Amino acid sequence: MSKDFLYNEIANGIARQISNGILQPGDKLPSVRSLCHEHGISMNTAKRVFLELEAQSFIDAKPQSGYYVSKRSYTKLPLPEVSRPSSRANDNEPDELISKVYANMGDENLTLFSISAPSGDLLPLAKLKKEILQATRELREGGTAYEPLQGNLKLRRMVAIRSLTWGGNLHEDDLITTNGAINAVSLCLMALGKPGDTIAMESPCYPGTLQLAISLGFKVLELPTHPITGLEIDALKKAIPKINLCLLVPNFNTPLGSCMPDEHKKEIVALLAKHDIPLIEDDIYGDLYFGTQRPKCCKSFDKEGKVLWCSSISKTLAPGYRVGWVAPGRYKEQLLKIKLIHSISSASIIQESVANFLKTGKYENHIRQLRRTLHDNYLHYAHAIAQYFPEGTKTSRPQGGLAIWIELSKEINTKHLYELAIKQRISIAPGRIFTLQNQFENCIRICIGLPWSDEIRSKLKQLGNLTKKL
Amino acid sequence: MSKDFLYNEIANGIARQISNGILQPGDKLPSVRSLCHEHGISMNTAKRVFLELEAQSFIDAKPQSGYYVSKRSYTKLPLPEVSRPSSRANDNEPDELISKVYANMGDENLTLFSISAPSGDLLPLAKLKKEILQATRELREGGTAYEPLQGNLKLRRMVAIRSLTWGGNLHEDDLITTNGAINAVSLCLMALGKPGDTIAMESPCYPGTLQLAISLGFKVLELPTHPITGLEIDALKKAIPKINLCLLVPNFNTPLGSCMPDEHKKEIVALLAKHDIPLIEDDIYGDLYFGTQRPKCCKSFDKEGKVLWCSSISKTLAPGYRVGWVAPGRYKEQLLKIKLIHSISSASIIQESVANFLKTGKYENHIRQLRRTLHDNYLHYAHAIAQYFPEGTKTSRPQGGLAIWIELSKEINTKHLYELAIKQRISIAPGRIFTLQNQFENCIRICIGLPWSDEIRSKLKQLGNLTKKL
């Protein structure tokens, strides 16, 4: 077993004990020396375990004393239950609040808890700028020419190489670039489905895909979803006869932040393949894990080419660049045709600059830092929510990603909370927009992409006070 | 009447006489002095008329002798007839050759007569590069943030200001930016139509819109189109009861290059408005006029907000930038919703850089030069076609844009010509891809966006020889 693997394995184990509450805030951890003995590892490896856990805010070092479980591991609020949407597919119009919430996008006068994207303060702006310059120099005709339909070769190559991190084994020719992941999902739906088809999704799920599905004439079957382990497999099994397509966000989906265990992924891929149902896998949050290891993707279990793996850099590097891609398996020709029809090609300069950024290892450094910051943010945000929100509040425990899902007591309608909050220049995402059914009226999603500060704390306090009034 | 207007008016009149054959190649034009007398204008204005006509290759100056109609005004080949497509709407799959032809896009080993875009040699690459750098500096968070849904404000402002050039009077708030014009048209169709609807188009027309319409489940009604004046109004009148939507390219449409007279535009807008049929107007070639004046747009006659005016910089500045827009009139809310659903936003950096380029007047200088070059190209290409193609060949007489439409004798199938040509590394667009019906099998479209050279001449000769063999 390699040293790298060992150190990951051990840190992972301790992190899990902290998350599960076996180790409590303030608990002393074993010393470096005893960790060596216990696992038969070197002092260096043992030290690395603690440094890693400290970097991820699981533990704090006290000089001359040792390591302790961080107090920022606040008393946790209870988890929301597994969702229980209706087992009937429907094609209701998405809630009109979606448009209102998204219209706030880019508004500098608001505190945007509603937009699931990292703030610019967390992004490598200067380095990206340099890559843009480089790309205008390198590209044929300065990037003004139409690029090949399949998209920038260098970008496809880099995404293929990085597929190893999630258990994939893609080749550059397996990939097609798109204008962000939502455009990739949109192309998949147009290529594979037709009006009247039924598509299964997690519930709650990303409002954008609900809108997309309905606008294309699909029916949506929302499936019970666990806040920790994601989609309930038994529910999917029962739904099989009713569905034509499946669209899942297995890793740190928004709004729940759940992460489907690998065995579930494997089972779901096999189940869907057996019934010849294509799986569109949206993996935009996969790189944002708080733990020690990148979770696998369903695509890594895809033997028959029926998983269409979609992702982008919008949640990790530059939302405004609109750079995404899809590995469509056996559906490549259909996807290319639809891409040609709806957009011809993507902006070369931006794709080339992202490819160069990925190539030089800058991305690895950036994403490591971003993960730590987001994990810290999560702990801070969750702590503040526990402090300021009324009794009876429940929250998700995301294992990665950009959001916390908050369930308030039943009598609170978060549409009203939205209206009150926006008057105080705070934008939140009310639960009702994450479903086509009448559920989640007492929930909100809070994004953790804004850097932690006293101002953010006081905004969360304001929000908590508004909630108490309701 | 202002001097500017006068000089345009007079140059326009002479250009028209040359185009109509009233003035023949080699004919001597009146002297500067007699032009002054005739029109009651100053020497300077008269000189400007001749300089303008010379710059546009209509006339040549002979030292110590005067101005003559240019000999490059070659003996013209006959015009193709008005098209006569079936009067029944249909939803046939577009010809599979479309994908083949577009797959050649970006292939540096081919002479791409098939792609309707200006070559990079004709574009202001260095200046655009500078604008990209500038944009990364100016934009909030270096352009990495999601931009507002409606798109970059500066770009919308510049497009609104420039709407005066085609008789429009747009406000920045009337516009939504998109990923190129085809994306604008795609959003319009998704926002306004539903599967089973019938959409009227010119015939022949751009293959991309045929694919788009069919992929969205529309039926297409192709309408008779005159190679000079565009859509036949009487045919549209008869079709009114059958159609839900109309999609036209009134200015220098591809492949014909026809330009609808202003009175026709006015009449069509009124007719469609009366029957509550939205008109999607694709104006991507409008800035590429060979004459002295920018043609108006249907949008300029739109009193009820039922014209959705789409355009882009793909044919004039940078195809690979994917920057377009739409002024959707009364349908703005629907369009915004569909844009959010399918792509969220566009790449800010690119939009900002184009806006800056438009702002500084660089665009006006560039486009003036590009128009002259394309007009020259047209005359060279047409001359070569007249020389090298077999007897019985007819060609369009585009008044702007990027293409020449060639009609060969009936027994020639240009699908075969395509296959033969591609073996000689020449890519052409066979006529069959510009329709869903069985017509135009003996036609091809040749684009004039590649700079004129001996190599291009010899490629056209090769193509002519292949045609003769068939």
Side-chain angles (χ1 to χ4, degrees), chain B residues 400-421:
Chain B
L402 278 160
I404 300 178
W405 180 245
I406 305 179
E407 187 182 311
L408 303 166
S409 61
K410 283 284 174 203
E411 60 281 7
I412 295 179
N413 186 328
T414 55
K415 281 195 185 183
H416 298 155
L417 184 59
Y418 173 85
E419 298 298 345
L420 290 176

Side-chain angles (χ1 to χ4, degrees), chain A residues 93 108 120 125 129 132-133 136 140-141 144-146 179 186 212 315 318-320 322 337 341-343 345 347, chain B residues 93 108 120 125 129 132-133 136 140-141 144-146 179 186 212 315 318-320 322 337 341-343 345 347:
Chain A
E93 272 299 304
E108 294 176 54
L125 304 185
K129 220 175 275 189
I132 296 264
L133 312 200
T136 60
R140 187 170 67 93
E141 300 181 358
T144 60
Y146 287 123
N179 298 314
S186 154
L212 190 52
K315 306 305 179 187
R322 312 311 302 129
K337 195 176 156 192
I341 290 174
H342 288 273
S343 62
S345 65
Chain B
E93 272 299 304
E108 295 175 53
L125 304 184
K129 221 175 271 188
I132 297 264
L133 312 199
T136 61
R140 188 170 65 93
E141 300 183 358
T144 60
Y146 287 122
N179 298 314
S186 154
L212 189 53
K315 306 305 179 190
R322 312 312 300 132
K337 196 176 156 194
I341 290 174
H342 288 272
S343 62
S345 64

Side-chain angles (χ1 to χ4, degrees), chain B residues 346-357:
Chain B
S346 310
S348 307
I349 292 175
I350 306 286
Q351 295 202 1
E352 177 90 0
S353 61
V354 169
N356 285 338
F357 190 86

Side-chain angles (χ1 to χ4, degrees), chain A residues 93-94 98-99 102-103 105-108 115-121 123 125 128-129 132-133 136-137 140-149 179 182-183 186 190 195 206 208 211-213 215-216 314-315 317-322 337-338 340-350, chain B residues 93-94 98-99 102-103 105-108 115-121 123 125 128-129 132-133 136-137 140-149 179 182-183 186 190 195 206 208 211-213 215-216 314-315 317-322 337-338 340-350:
Chain A
E93 272 299 304
I98 297 183
S99 306
Y102 279 94
M105 198 163 65
D107 187 334
E108 294 176 54
I115 301 298
S116 171
S119 142
D121 304 312
L123 301 176
L125 304 185
L128 286 173
K129 220 175 275 189
I132 296 264
L133 312 200
T136 60
R137 282 187 205 119
R140 187 170 67 93
E141 300 181 358
T144 60
Y146 287 123
E147 58 174 27
L149 182 55
N179 298 314
I182 190 68
N183 179 236
S186 154
M190 289 195 275
Y206 173 54
Q211 284 189 310
L212 190 52
S215 85
L216 293 172
S314 300
K315 306 305 179 187
L317 203 56
Y321 276 18
R322 312 311 302 129
K337 195 176 156 192
I338 288 285
L340 173 64
I341 290 174
H342 288 273
S343 62
I344 301 184
S345 65
S346 310
S348 305
I349 291 174
I350 306 286
Chain B
E93 272 299 304
I98 297 184
S99 306
Y102 279 95
M105 200 163 64
D107 187 333
E108 295 175 53
I115 302 298
S116 171
S119 144
D121 304 310
L123 302 175
L125 304 184
L128 286 172
K129 221 175 271 188
I132 297 264
L133 312 199
T136 61
R137 282 190 205 117
R140 188 170 65 93
E141 300 183 358
T144 60
Y146 287 122
E147 59 175 25
L149 182 56
N179 298 314
I182 190 69
N183 180 235
S186 154
M190 289 195 276
Y206 173 52
Q211 285 190 310
L212 189 53
S215 86
L216 293 171
S314 300
K315 306 305 179 190
L317 204 55
Y321 277 17
R322 312 312 300 132
K337 196 176 156 194
I338 288 284
L340 174 63
I341 290 174
H342 288 272
S343 62
I344 301 183
S345 64
S346 310
S348 307
I349 292 175
I350 306 286

Side-chain angles (χ1 to χ4, degrees), chain B residues 104 107-113 416-428 455 458-470:
Chain B
N104 299 334
D107 187 333
E108 295 175 53
N109 298 315
L110 297 176
T111 303
L112 291 171
F113 290 135
H416 298 155
L417 184 59
Y418 173 85
E419 298 298 345
L420 290 176
I422 207 77
K423 280 181 197 150
Q424 302 196 7
R425 306 200 165 193
I426 300 172
S427 175
I428 57 169
E455 199 199 330
S458 94
K459 291 286 177 187
L460 287 171
K461 189 174 176 183
Q462 255 177 284
L463 202 56
N465 288 338
L466 285 177
T467 311
K468 282 175 188 167
K469 271 187 207 161
L470 284 169

